[in-house]
Amino acid sequence: MDIIAQLFAGLSLGSVLLLAALGLSLTFGQMGVINMAHGEFMMAGAYTAFVVQGVIGDAGISLLVALPLGFLVGGLLGLLLEATLIHRMYRRPLDTLLVTWGVALVLQQVARDVFGAPNVDVRAPAWLSGAVEIGGLALPRTRLFILALAIVCVVALALALRATPLGRRIRAVVQNRDLAEASGISSRGTDRVTFFVGSGLAGIAGVALTLLGSIGPTLGTSYIVDAFLVVVAGGIGQIKGTVIAATALGLMQAFFEYSTTASVAKVLVFVAIVAFLQLRPQGLVSVRTRSLA
Amino acid sequence: MSDLSPAAAQPETEIDLAAAEALLGTDTSRFRHDYLEIRGLRVEFDGFVAVRDVDLTVTQGDLRFLIGPNGAGKTTLIDAVTGLVRASGSVAFGRTELLGRSTHRIARAGVGRTFQTASVFDELTVLQNLDIAAGARRGPLTLLRRRPGTPEAVEHALETVGLTALRDVPAGVLAHGQKQWLEIGMLLVQDAHLLLLDEPVAGMTQAEREETGQLLRRIGSQRVVVVVEHDMEFLRSFADSVTVMHQGRVLAEGTVQEVQNDPAVVEVYLGAPAAASDGAAAGATAGAVTSEAATSEGELP
Amino acid sequence: MTVLNALVRPGRTRTLAAFGLAAALLLLAPVVLSPFRLDLLAKFLCLAMVAVGIGLAWGRGGLLTLGQGVYFGLGAYLMAMHLKLADAGPGGVPDFMLLYGTGQVPGWWEPLRSPVSAILLILVVPAALAALLGWAVFTRRVRGAYFAILSQALAAAFAILLIGQQQTTGGTNGLNGFRAFFGYDLADPVNKQMLYLIAAGVLLVMVAVVRQLTVSRFGELLVAVRDQEDRVRFLGYDPAAVKVVAYVVAAVMAAVGGALFVPIVGIISPADVGVVPSIGFLIGVAIGGRATLLGPVLGSIAVSWAQTSISEQFPSGWIYFQGALFILVIAFLPGGLASVAGTLRRRPAVAGLSERSPA
Ligand SMILES: Nc1ncnc2c1ncn2[C@@H]1O[C@H](COP(=O)(O)OP(=O)(O)OP(=O)(O)O)[C@@H](O)[C@H]1O
Ligand SMILES: [Mg+2]
């Protein structure tokens, strides 16, 4: 039974990581841009849920409203960031990391000044309270909801990338920016849309996180490092890799935590990732290109 | 950097063969037993076979040219020999098997190469570029000290490739042809016994080609040299022997004469529409490869 | 001397002059500053040591290391553990362990009882960790953003580990309340002044070391590796080895900074070593000019000073200010303030350049 409980804990953690990392892998994959403010976009999504609940009151409806609205808020923040700063820095990916870190600091402080430093709570809707009993095991409904939400997001993103013209453009740019541009795809436009979608996914992740506990201005920082590890281990520009890596990291963390402590588990996961990169330096799934000689 | 206009920084440069003599020396015994022997070489990229069943033997003193239409696998062959891509088969340099070694070990075994797009350290000066190339065998204590003066070999190399006056200029501001010369100079101070040059004269003027050819011929008389080139006129003037590649295989091999008259080669260059439309060597056998074609080739990113 | 040359290898006299000036200023400080200000400056100097190392690894070597807090923290915690044990006396148990722990000193603390082995460990442990991680990562050609992310994750894991081990590391509170430094009473202002002088001296030595590394052939090689790692390989070098050296040197400098930080500031806690402070170390380096010699030191001291004075008056103002610095400096002035100075100096250098070329 214990094994199954750990398995569920791992999958649940994995789904949270996946939500956090999905958008990141899109923006990192497409532009090689490391957006350290991604976590703060999640935080913005979470506060969106908080504000929406304050206005609407009903926890169920407000959650359903907050999800798309969180997407929009995250997406618009991302768009703004891309248009003002990131687009002028595509040739300096490492520097982008530091610039977006600055943005993250500012956003955190804005949240602190607007909403106060203490954490706030968003009520979960009644239909998500309690747990589902399966074989004597209590699976919290909120966690199941997040798991489902992650799956929906992955499927929606995969479909969008595969089936829409926009998605095809994004994939083309991810795989070969210069060639795509030469064949008439506006990489400027594609970049913007990608950034919008990727950041929007962060917003959704933030809304989902409100179901797991209280939220605060530093919500993003606690997830961003793990989300980046997922992207690194998963390989760039591939949803498949991100999904596998998020699941694996979640499971590892859960099982290590079970056999040691939470903090030691973190270290072990880190060691495991470095060891894994010994085998596959490019991550799990990687698009091979002719490397610069 | 932008205010350093290359034009202002560049006097006429010339290859100095006398200096090359001083650098290369008359001692050929060191190189007498050098040869490159490739057997059954195969390189695959995710299912696409870029090089297959290649056998190639090049001995010291034989200036070998490697030609073939775009995508024939010439650069990939060099990549395989220098450890940049994984390959199967065997690549021996003298008694040393190169396949399976890491790139820097291969370089230490005496194999040097240049790149299709000249590749030097832009922020370092010409002198520093050469000094680094000369120094792979330096011990840690030498590395941790400042360069005392200009090492003799570096001095000779500077003169050989005509960059003495520009020694303190960042390599990034050099003209394209000068960068290619700098790379050749780096090969020389590196003391490579096997030199693989990927389109070394692309983008050079006629006079520069001529000088470069003389220098390569001088090096080739001593060491094992393989030159990838599209320019047929250059080839006819300087090649001792030629290997033609096509679609990853060796198509023909022999003297310039023999290769030019080989029906299979004529077929590839004249018959196959794909290759012809590339402009790579449409009129190669007729000897009419335009220098524009070669130029645009060399400047591909 | 060309432009780049002038920046890359400043003339010997100019450097000596700058070095002498810096030394004189540092020696003058105890005379002019109040004990409180001097203490602050000593703290800033410790943080500047981390910056010197980052200047080498990041500015010259292109290794964006977001986890220097780990090495800073290792040095600091090792020193703090030694001071705690020394305070407790031979065979004694540090006070916080009696409060939260089992009242027993864990075995892995014991090597830190002796001052000599404590100092050795402060140097060796961070160096070994950096060498191990660097080797594992660089030989597999994990670089750029991947390396940055891994180094950041290391900082996160380290801070979490420290917090989790309340009984043996003091947890969130960290270690504090040190009474003496190698037998010298820390309450005595004279000893505080001595600590300041030690910090100043060590910092100057570090700057000299980095200068030697930069002007040496190794320094040229490091730049070559930064700009074209693959090309270097074809010349017969192993770029991983070059990077590991730079990374280890940076780690040791951070560790020494941390070790001196402890007696000077009197506390070390996970808040000083996690993700946020680790990235914070970078901004001073960037402002001063990441690829210059003195830029990281001056930038770091200036930022520390700004942090203290701004957060004294507007607590939230500092975060906005720091965020804005990251955005503005990195996006619009990537060469740091040194590059502004560089542009001013550029014109004569260019003239020199064209003079050289026979027209
Ligand atoms: N890393 C790689 N991944 C996938 N395909 C590759 C890779 N490197 C080379 N190729 C392919 O292998 C084939 C041979 O390429 P190569 O560059 O060796 O040709 P080449 O003879 O040097 O041509 P050119 O005259 O244009 O330089 C080409 O079809 C190329 O697209
Ligand atoms: Mg080629």
Side-chain angles (χ1 to χ4, degrees):
Chain A
M1 212 71 288
D2 257 358
I3 290 274
I4 305 199
Q6 295 312 311
L7 206 64
F8 179 72
L11 283 180
S12 168
L13 182 57
S15 64
V16 174
L17 286 179
L18 180 56
L19 273 177
L22 200 57
L24 209 53
S25 97
L26 195 64
T27 48
F28 191 18
Q30 159 135 8
M31 303 150 187
V33 165
I34 312 171
N35 178 16
M36 295 293 282
H38 193 80
E40 278 55 46
F41 294 171
M42 288 167 63
M43 180 264 288
Y47 275 108
T48 306
F50 174 72
V51 171
V52 168
Q53 191 162 79
V55 174
I56 294 183
D58 180 89
I61 300 175
S62 77
L63 176 64
L64 295 181
V65 174
L67 280 172
L69 207 61
F71 181 81
L72 202 65
V73 168
L76 287 178
L77 282 173
L79 210 54
L80 192 68
L81 181 64
E82 206 280 342
T84 50
L85 285 172
I86 290 180
H87 82 97
R88 61 180 85 226
M89 303 192 59
Y90 282 133
R91 304 269 159 217
R92 296 192 279 143
L94 286 185
D95 282 2
T96 320
L97 188 157
L98 296 175
V99 168
T100 50
W101 174 256
V103 174
L105 288 179
V106 170
L107 287 178
Q108 275 177 32
Q109 192 58 38
V110 169
R112 232 172 258 134
D113 287 346
V114 175
F115 298 103
N119 285 2
V120 296
D121 277 306
V122 181
R123 277 172 293 115
W127 43 273
L128 282 183
S129 64
V132 181
E133 290 271 338
I134 297 178
L137 202 67
L139 311 179
R141 281 174 206 266
T142 46
R143 296 219 163 240
L144 288 173
F145 178 78
I146 290 180
L147 197 63
L149 185 65
I151 294 173
V152 169
C153 284
V154 168
V155 171
L157 184 63
L159 281 181
L161 284 182
R162 209 151 293 256
T164 65
L166 180 74
R168 277 195 290 277
R169 281 211 296 276
I170 292 181
R171 283 194 301 153
V173 175
V174 170
Q175 274 162 28
N176 191 332
R177 174 170 290 267
D178 294 331
L179 186 64
E181 220 155 297
S183 31
I185 295 173
S186 146
S187 67
R188 270 310 284 125
T190 316
D191 285 346
R192 290 214 170 136
V193 178
T194 315
F195 226 86
F196 178 77
V197 175
S199 311
L201 286 168
I204 291 187
V207 176
L209 284 179
T210 59
L211 296 172
L212 293 183
S214 54
I215 57 164
T218 55
L219 173 87
T221 18
S222 39
Y223 285 94
I224 191 75
V225 176
D226 287 335
F228 269 122
L229 283 183
V230 166
V231 177
V232 164
I236 289 186
Q238 296 280 323
I239 296 184
K240 192 167 56 170
T242 312
V243 173
I244 300 174
T247 317
L249 247 66
L251 287 173
M252 259 197 300
Q253 176 75 30
F255 277 95
F256 286 152
E257 211 171 305
Y258 178 68
S259 33
T260 59
T261 65
S263 58
V264 174
K266 266 271 183 301
V267 177
L268 289 178
V269 168
F270 174 77
V271 172
I273 290 174
V274 173
F276 170 73
L277 288 177
Q278 295 296 298
L279 304 175
R280 304 208 47 145
Q282 306 294 319
L284 210 53
V285 184
S286 62
V287 194
R288 275 220 234 159
T289 54
R290 193 163 195 171
S291 64
L292 37 130
Chain B
M1 288 290 304
S2 51
D3 51 345
L4 286 175
S5 84
Q10 258 122 60
E12 288 300 308
T13 47
E14 268 179 17
I15 295 276
D16 179 349
L17 285 173
E21 289 306 323
L23 181 56
L24 295 168
T26 47
D27 172 25
T28 45
S29 58
R30 270 204 306 152
F31 307 97
R32 184 159 301 142
H33 303 292
D34 284 351
Y35 61 94
L36 169 70
E37 187 168 69
I38 298 178
R39 287 292 170 265
L41 189 72
R42 180 185 174 88
V43 180
E44 210 173 302
F45 297 113
D46 298 324
F48 170 75
V49 185
V51 170
R52 65 179 83 206
D53 306 328
V54 167
D55 292 345
L56 183 71
T57 307
V58 187
T59 53
Q60 168 261 341
D62 166 23
L63 184 54
R64 175 67 59 93
F65 274 58
L66 185 60
I67 63 168
N70 291 127
K74 307 178 293 292
T75 300
T76 307
L77 181 104
I78 295 186
D79 288 351
V81 173
T82 52
L84 186 59
V85 300
R86 255 178 206 277
S88 59
S90 129
V91 176
F93 179 56
R95 276 194 218 105
T96 322
E97 172 63 45
L98 300 182
L99 284 198
R101 289 192 178 213
S102 58
T103 300
H104 70 276
R105 292 240 154 74
I106 293 176
R108 286 189 179 198
V111 180
R113 71 174 289 184
T114 65
F115 293 84
Q116 201 159 341
T117 349
S119 162
V120 294
F121 306 114
D122 287 349
E123 284 212 9
L124 297 177
T125 65
V126 170
L127 173 61
Q128 287 170 334
N129 269 274
L130 286 167
D131 186 61
I132 285 181
R137 290 186 190 81
R138 286 181 192 132
L141 282 182
T142 323
L143 276 180
L144 291 180
R145 277 204 297 272
R146 202 191 259 266
R147 184 177 39 253
T150 313
E152 201 187 351
V154 170
E155 195 71 67
H156 289 316
L158 279 169
E159 282 171 37
T160 304
V161 295
L163 292 174
T164 310
L166 298 175
R167 61 198 298 160
D168 292 325
V169 167
V173 308
L174 293 182
H176 184 67
Q178 291 173 328
K179 282 189 189 170
Q180 283 162 299
W181 279 349
L182 177 55
E183 274 208 291
I184 296 179
M186 287 163 74
L187 277 184
L188 292 177
V189 291
Q190 190 186 345
D191 197 28
H193 290 205
L194 166 61
L195 292 81
L196 306 159
L197 299 112
D198 202 349
E199 310 199 8
V201 300
M204 286 190 182
T205 65
Q206 194 53 44
E208 289 169 337
R209 278 161 200 254
E210 185 66 27
E211 291 176 15
T212 311
Q214 303 281 358
L215 177 60
L216 291 182
R217 171 169 282 172
R218 174 64 186 86
I219 303 170
S221 70
Q222 187 185 45
R223 310 186 184 198
V224 186
V225 180
V226 177
V227 180
V228 171
E229 203 34 80
H230 281 291
D231 180 354
M232 290 300 143
E233 201 182 318
F234 183 69
L235 172 131
R236 264 194 304 278
S237 318
F238 296 104
D240 290 326
S241 61
V242 183
T243 298
V244 186
M245 284 186 74
H246 179 50
Q247 295 183 346
R249 297 174 202 273
V250 172
L251 188 68
E253 192 167 292
T255 63
V256 178
Q257 270 299 319
E258 286 163 4
V259 165
Q260 273 186 341
N261 298 329
D262 189 315
V265 176
V266 177
E267 161 91 25
V268 165
Y269 275 113
L270 293 178
S277 64
D278 277 348
T285 40
V289 155
T290 55
S291 53
E292 303 92 83
T295 310
S296 60
E297 182 61 29
E299 284 167 0
L300 280 178
Chain C
M1 277 267 162
T2 67
V3 183
L4 275 164
N5 241 12
L7 287 177
V8 171
R9 307 182 47 170
R12 207 163 255 196
T13 26
R14 218 189 76 203
T15 317
L16 272 180
F19 198 75
L21 187 67
L25 282 179
L26 285 174
L27 278 177
L28 202 62
V31 185
V32 223
L33 295 180
S34 69
F36 172 73
R37 293 277 152 196
L38 191 70
D39 235 27
L40 267 184
L41 182 59
K43 171 181 161 185
F44 298 167
L45 296 186
C46 294
L47 299 174
M49 293 176 197
V50 187
V52 177
I54 294 178
L56 180 74
W58 178 41
R60 312 294 304 184
L63 305 170
L64 180 53
T65 152
L66 303 181
Q68 288 309 89
V70 172
Y71 303 110
F72 180 80
L74 275 176
Y77 268 90
L78 288 171
M79 175 63 87
M81 285 155 71
H82 169 69
L83 296 187
K84 274 286 166 202
L85 287 171
D87 282 352
V93 180
D95 45 10
F96 78 97
M97 283 188 189
L98 296 170
L99 274 178
Y100 305 111
T102 53
Q104 293 246 307
V105 180
W108 54 275
W109 272 63
E110 287 301 338
L112 289 153
R113 271 200 200 273
S114 129
V116 178
S117 72
I119 291 178
L120 273 181
L121 286 171
I122 285 170
L123 298 173
V124 171
V125 173
L129 178 66
L132 192 74
L133 181 71
W135 195 255
V137 167
F138 299 138
T139 49
R140 297 302 295 161
R141 306 189 192 178
V142 172
R143 55 188 158 199
Y146 277 48
F147 170 71
I149 289 168
L150 284 181
S151 65
Q152 183 184 38
L154 180 68
F158 183 61
I160 290 171
L161 191 63
L162 287 175
I163 295 173
Q165 311 296 309
Q166 166 91 30
Q167 295 98 338
T168 51
T169 64
T172 325
N173 300 336
L175 299 176
N176 51 33
F178 316 107
R179 290 197 298 274
F181 179 67
F182 295 100
Y184 292 93
D185 184 2
L186 282 172
D188 186 343
V190 174
N191 290 340
K192 294 294 260 183
Q193 212 174 67
M194 171 192 77
L195 271 174
Y196 163 83
L197 289 175
I198 293 177
V202 168
L203 181 63
L204 285 174
V205 169
M206 284 184 184
V207 172
V209 166
V210 167
R211 152 134 177 118
Q212 178 56 32
L213 285 177
T214 330
V215 299
S216 72
R217 281 170 152 149
F218 172 82
E220 295 171 358
L221 192 56
L222 187 60
V223 171
V225 169
R226 175 190 72 191
D227 293 344
Q228 296 215 48
E229 176 174 341
D230 291 299
R231 187 67 180 89
V232 173
R233 242 179 227 121
F234 291 100
L235 297 174
Y237 297 94
D238 185 359
V242 179
K243 290 196 203 178
V244 168
V245 170
Y247 187 50
V248 168
V249 170
V252 170
M253 290 185 171
V256 172
L260 288 172
F261 181 90
V262 163
I264 289 172
V265 179
I267 178 169
I268 183 74
S269 76
D272 300 315
V273 307
V275 171
V276 178
S278 288
I279 304 188
F281 284 127
L282 288 160
I283 187 60
V285 179
I287 291 179
R290 57 180 96 159
T292 60
L293 183 65
L294 287 178
V297 177
L298 299 178
S300 163
I301 293 176
V303 168
S304 303
W305 174 77
Q307 172 165 16
T308 311
S309 35
I310 294 181
S311 39
E312 265 169 18
Q313 288 162 23
F314 324 94
S316 80
W318 164 245
I319 307 264
Y320 284 123
F321 186 69
Q322 193 191 13
L325 279 183
F326 266 110
I327 298 170
L328 297 176
V329 173
I330 306 275
F332 301 103
L333 197 64
L337 289 176
S339 68
V340 180
T343 15
L344 298 180
R345 227 181 289 120
R346 182 162 293 180
R347 219 149 287 161
V350 173
L353 178 75
S354 36
E355 262 165 45
R356 238 174 204 288
S357 353

